[in-house]
Amino acid sequence: GFTFLTPKHQDALFRVYGTTFLLTHGDQVGSRGGQGFIGPAATIARGMKKVVDNYAAIGQPLDVVLVGHWHTPLMLEHGFSNGCLPGYSEFARSHRMRPSPPSQWLFHVHPRRGLVNWRLVFCGGPGEGLLCDRQENGAASVDPFRTVSEQAA
């Protein structure tokens, strides 16, 4: 069955088969910083490390941290940064963000082995007003010069 969790603060702490997850938006992980040539990866990794250390200091070890604030799909040492379901948009373009197709992480938790499988799922298709298309080899192709509204027209 499914259980809905509605935390009273910014972090949702939950277990799946004994694996402890912390789900948080990501804007309050205690790490700020420039994007630089590596994008937001260093900022996200630093923030996740601070979250893991903070929870460990109060006696609550974490196995996986899940964030989404940066709309950038990454798998890092302490967890996952989720992609952006809408994909590339006028907002992303106006902030000079790197174009990427709409995506979300999917992972499987085994009762004894914990997190055993993860993959990035690309959502939707060009006919739905997205800026990306899947090439025959499976790679994503993004047109950075068209917004979602231009693609749909």
Side-chain angles (χ1 to χ4, degrees), residues 78-149:
H78 296 291
F80 296 86
S81 171
N82 213 359
C84 181
L85 194 54
Y88 198 59
S89 65
E90 191 59 38
F91 175 81
R93 177 195 259 179
S94 70
H95 287 83
R96 304 290 184 208
M97 296 173 180
R98 184 176 180 189
S100 64
S103 63
Q104 298 285 282
W105 281 105
L106 170 68
F107 46 85
H108 299 96
V109 182
H110 188 274
R112 291 188 315 278
R113 295 184 181 97
L115 196 61
V116 294
N117 184 22
W118 49 88
R119 71 176 0 128
L120 195 57
V121 176
F122 293 98
C123 310
E128 298 173 40
L130 307 178
L131 297 171
C132 66
D133 195 358
R134 306 303 295 170
Q135 299 173 1
E136 285 186 27
N137 65 3
S141 166
V142 178
D143 183 349
F145 301 105
R146 295 173 69 190
T147 63
V148 172
S149 57

Side-chain angles (χ1 to χ4, degrees), residues 5-49:
L5 175 62
T6 309
K8 294 181 181 180
H9 50 81
Q10 68 217 24
D11 297 340
L13 190 64
F14 61 96
R15 287 180 186 258
V16 177
Y17 293 129
T19 299
T20 304
F21 290 85
L22 178 109
L23 173 67
T24 188
H25 178 81
D27 60 336
Q28 300 291 317
V29 295
S31 180
R32 306 254 189 272
Q35 301 276 318
F37 71 94
I38 63 168
T43 300
I44 298 168
R46 187 171 52 247
M48 285 182 175
K49 173 74 169 126

Side-chain angles (χ1 to χ4, degrees), residues 50-62:
K50 289 179 83 170
V51 168
V52 167
D53 290 349
N54 176 258
Y55 272 83
I58 60 171
Q60 177 58 68
L62 302 174

